[in-house]
Amino acid sequence: MSSTESPATQAMEPEIRTRWKALEFEYAKRLRECPAHDRKALYTEAYSAVSELAVERFKSDRPEDRTAGTSKKTVALIAKFVDKNDRVLEVGCGRGYTCFMLSPQVESMVGIEVSTSGIRESREVSSRMGLENVEFKQISATDLVDNFTPDSFNMCTCIDVLEHLHPEDAKEHLYQAFSILKPGGRYFIQMPNRLTGPHDITKTEFPGAKKALGFHLNESTYKEVVGLMKTIGFNKFRIVIWLKTIPWLPKRPTNLFYQVGTTAEFIFRLLPAFMHFSLLEEALAIRLVAYKPVSPRR
């Protein structure tokens, strides 16, 4: 999975975009309405369909040109929280870009993905690059405890994926991620903030809409995400942003107390609509690192 309404999606040829639109609205409606036991297969069907369609607009074989959501900047943010001895899981790895880029900095990477073409391409590129510490599995975000043992990863990353999960599945996924993380393990999440949304295809098709109607089944806020993760057991939170800490040097990833994010949301809610400009959308984008306690809760 990956963020649907990316610049690449917006730049699709009209015929491909029309087909994408129809698929996204159809599958999103079905995912919102179908019972929980049917959603797992429907995620695979839906994202395999749009992933195959996306291949038609690619003009390059380079992994960085065949991805959405992730980027060199995102990898640089994550790299601040890993070391050479870490075992890392990426949830919704798409076509594998983050796994390829992060793998030299960790002991091993496992990428999971529901779309058939995404997982196939990830494996092909990984083999071509000769990456021996990267593995890809076609499983869903709620299949973690069936495929991995408890306390088996130092870090789990979720880049523009959680908003694609039904709220019930997002909660179940976070419980399972907590289980497979080692004590002291980190969970990195990047997702758009609902306060500046909707961020899926709704944004361009229905500019006046207040709620996502496409694949973003679960746009959220810092306050809501942190609140949910606290109930699951995560006990420490940091947000990660790009700051120019020294005027003459480039911006660098900086981690701050999560309350900076929730305070920004509070201020945003107080501002009149005409002050909700595009810079705020980037400032409020959720980039959060949550920590599993080193010792169990008493």
Side-chain angles (χ1 to χ4, degrees):
M1 295 184 192
S2 59
S3 185
T4 307
E5 190 58 10
S6 65
T9 307
Q10 296 177 34
M12 282 181 178
E13 295 174 7
E15 189 268 337
I16 296 177
R17 183 176 173 82
T18 298
R19 288 158 59 198
W20 181 296
K21 248 188 335 186
L23 284 171
E24 178 161 347
F25 285 129
E26 174 197 346
Y27 277 118
K29 183 174 186 293
R30 290 171 61 188
L31 283 165
R32 286 183 172 89
E33 295 175 352
C34 78
H37 58 81
D38 291 335
R39 280 198 298 268
K40 196 172 293 186
L42 191 54
Y43 284 128
T44 298
E45 180 184 331
Y47 285 96
S48 292
V50 294
S51 183
E52 291 285 356
L53 188 58
V55 171
E56 297 184 27
R57 53 92 174 166
F58 290 140
K59 305 282 194 271
S60 167
D61 289 332
R62 299 190 308 167
E64 60 267 36
D65 296 329
R66 299 170 70 87
T67 189
T70 188
S71 65
K72 288 183 179 179
K73 284 181 68 174
T74 300
V75 174
L77 291 179
I78 298 169
K80 297 280 288 184
F81 297 90
V82 299
D83 63 41
K84 292 291 288 185
N85 297 316
D86 281 350
R87 188 164 185 245
V88 180
L89 172 71
E90 183 181 11
V91 176
C93 65
R95 299 176 190 277
Y97 176 79
T98 300
C99 291
F100 306 149
M101 296 293 288
L102 196 61
S103 61
Q105 304 180 59
V106 299
E107 180 180 297
S108 65
M109 289 279 318
V110 179
I112 66 168
E113 171 63 34
V114 294
S115 81
T116 302
S117 70
I119 210 73
R120 181 177 62 243
E121 184 171 322
S122 296
R123 288 169 174 162
E124 289 172 355
V125 175
S126 178
S127 176
R128 194 162 64 239
M129 294 175 70
L131 300 177
E132 297 181 353
N133 66 334
V134 180
E135 179 185 4
F136 294 99
K137 293 177 177 285
Q138 188 174 11
I139 60 174
S140 79
T142 54
D143 281 334
L144 304 186
V145 295
D146 292 332
N147 287 271
F148 306 110
T149 57
D151 304 339
S152 56
F153 290 96
N154 302 94
M155 188 169 195
C156 178
T157 70
C158 185
I159 303 169
D160 287 354
V161 172
L162 201 67
E163 68 272 21
H164 290 254
L165 299 179
H166 188 284
E168 294 173 1
D169 299 329
K171 185 175 183 180
E172 174 62 22
H173 160 69
L174 290 172
Y175 270 107
Q176 293 194 20
F178 185 85
S179 173
I180 65 169
L181 280 172
K182 295 180 180 181
R186 290 85 66 203
Y187 183 101
F188 173 84
I189 175 174
Q190 174 179 290
M191 66 185 296
N193 194 311
R194 190 183 69 250
L195 296 184
T196 56
H199 294 273
D200 62 6
I201 204 166
T202 312
K203 187 173 187 175
T204 52
E205 299 306 313
F206 302 101
K210 302 298 183 184
K211 187 176 181 180
L213 303 172
F215 274 146
H216 286 193
L217 312 181
N218 183 43
E219 290 189 355
S220 194
T221 65
Y222 270 119
K223 184 177 180 180
E224 292 166 352
V225 172
V226 170
L228 173 58
M229 296 184 87
K230 282 183 175 179
T231 66
I232 290 168
F234 292 94
N235 71 337
K236 177 184 172 184
F237 304 88
R238 304 287 286 183
I239 68 169
V240 196
I241 61 175
W242 286 87
L243 279 181
K244 189 183 284 289
T245 51
I246 302 175
W248 57 87
L249 293 179
K251 289 182 179 179
R252 55 187 297 177
T254 305
N255 67 84
L256 305 167
F257 293 112
Y258 81 88
Q259 288 88 348
V260 172
T262 54
T263 300
E265 290 176 342
F266 175 77
I267 294 171
F268 180 84
R269 291 177 187 273
L270 298 178
L271 294 175
F274 73 88
M275 295 183 70
H276 294 176
F277 46 88
S278 58
L279 277 177
L280 285 174
E281 182 174 314
E282 172 61 20
L284 286 174
I286 297 171
R287 295 183 184 90
L288 181 75
V289 180
Y291 291 78
K292 181 175 179 175
V294 174
S295 56
R297 291 186 298 181
R298 295 181 183 274

